[in-house]
């Protein structure tokens, strides 16, 4: 009994450690990217190039861990159909999200970018309904309306709004929503179970060379490379950029660790906490961040809607698990007394 209690407590501590690690890495990575892209700091204002570095680094590191050092085993079970229908879209949306999200930091403040991200559940729900993963209901429409209203109020309270940055951020939100939908399809409809490094390996550029080239390399050649060749004022700091890539890899790994030890809902709740941390800290760290009372009130309304959405999803998931367990119990054949005596 004592051993069981200790095991449960150790598992709980480990889970909270993973969640804390995710919140720390996610918040830190946002500030780190802003710092690298800022012309007043590291002065590497090329989000596509930065995203390329992240993807290449993660790809090489995954390859070394799985194929060279063989520290982590890449689990089998990946079929061509699953790879084409789910993994390739996940990789494409992942690349698009990073590119557009990082680009938004060139035009809008970190805090406002996080406020706009609060619209994520709305995008996930709409796309989930279209994919047949969610059901339309009056309750969900009310929750989505509250979130949307909160984001609108927060946007209205923004002093230095830049619509180019808003468009980039909304594009990143749609890309992330699509990525989550494809991941849910991969887990629920395809039934594929992979460890964190295996997932990162399959969606990384080393397994998706052509997709990688199409989504990031080609746009970089036409959109950013001419600027980099033309403008010689930018700086390249190998040590800083390598550390930035390491943090990105660790962040991606922490996401899969949290999901594998808890659930996708937990990562969303942790994301809400992380967003508040980022919004408040950015006001202290960056001069371009000016929070207003309207900003905070609107964001609070949106977060209340997000909390209601997460609560609804939690109850729905608990009901589903309970139903599955009851069906599994009822399907077990009863053993008669005569059979047992035999």
């Amino acid at each position: 009994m004592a051993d069981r209690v200790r095991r449960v407590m150790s598992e709980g501590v480990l889970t909270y450690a993973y969640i804390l690690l995710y919140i720390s890495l996610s918040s830190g990575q946002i500030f780190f990217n802003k710092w690298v892209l800022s012309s007043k700091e590291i002065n590497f204002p090329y989000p596509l190039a930065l995203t390329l570095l992240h993807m290449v680094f993660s790809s090489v590191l995954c390859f070394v861990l799985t194929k060279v050092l063989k520290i982590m085993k890449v689990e089998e079970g990946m079929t061509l159909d699953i790879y084409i229908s789910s993994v390739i879209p996940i990789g494409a949306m992942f690349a698009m999200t990073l590119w557009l999200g990082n680009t938004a930091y060139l035009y809008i403040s970190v805090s406002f970018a996080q406020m706009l991200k609060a619209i994520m559940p709305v995008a996930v729900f709409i796309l989930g309904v279209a994919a047949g993963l969610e059901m339309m209901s009056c309750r969900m429409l009310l929750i989505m309306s509250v979130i949307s209203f909160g984001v609108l109020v927060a946007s209205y309270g923004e002093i230095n709004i830049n619509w180019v940055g808003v468009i980039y951020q909304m594009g990143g939100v749609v890309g992330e929503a699509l990525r989550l939908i494809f991941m849910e399809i991969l887990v629920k409809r395809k039934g594929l179970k992979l460890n964190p490094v295996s997932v990162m390996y399959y969606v990384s550029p080393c397994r998706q060379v052509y997709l990688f080239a199409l989504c990031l390399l080609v746009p970089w050649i036409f959109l950013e490379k001419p600027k980099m060749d033309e403008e010689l004022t930018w700086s390249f700091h190998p040590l800083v950029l390598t550390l930035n890539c390491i943090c990105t890899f660790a962040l991606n790994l922490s996401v899969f660790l949290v999901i594998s030890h808890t659930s996708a809902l937990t990562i969303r709740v942790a994301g809400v906490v992380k967003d508040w941390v980022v919004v408040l800290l950015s006001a202290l760290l960056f001069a371009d961040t000016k929070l207003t009372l309207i900003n905070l009130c609107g964001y609070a309304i949106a977060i209340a809607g997000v909390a209601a959405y997460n609560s609804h999803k939690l109850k729905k998931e608990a009901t589903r698990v309970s139903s599955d367990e009851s069906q599994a119990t009822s399907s077990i054949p009863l053993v008669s007394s005569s059979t047992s005596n035999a």
Side-chain angles (χ1 to χ4, degrees), residues 292-312:
T292 66
L293 185 59
I294 297 178
N295 269 147
L296 294 175
C297 287
Y299 190 52
I301 293 171
I303 290 300
V306 172
Y309 171 78
N310 288 337
S311 176
H312 176 77

Side-chain angles (χ1 to χ4, degrees), residues 39-87:
S39 58
K40 298 177 182 178
E41 304 294 342
I42 296 301
N43 191 28
F44 189 73
Y46 302 105
L48 260 175
L50 184 64
T51 307
L52 270 171
L53 289 174
H54 291 166
M55 297 287 278
V56 170
F57 184 88
S58 294
S59 173
V60 172
L61 196 54
C62 280
F63 181 81
V64 170
L65 288 173
T66 57
K67 298 298 183 181
V68 180
L69 300 178
K70 296 184 178 180
I71 296 174
M72 295 293 292
K73 180 183 177 182
V74 176
E75 299 176 6
E76 301 298 330
M78 180 65 66
T79 65
L80 182 62
D81 175 64
I82 294 176
Y83 192 79
I84 293 174
S85 62
S86 296
V87 176

Side-chain angles (χ1 to χ4, degrees), residues 321-335:
V321 172
S322 177
S323 176
D324 290 345
E325 288 177 352
S326 62
Q327 287 179 5
T329 303
S330 63
S331 65
I332 298 175
L334 297 175
V335 180

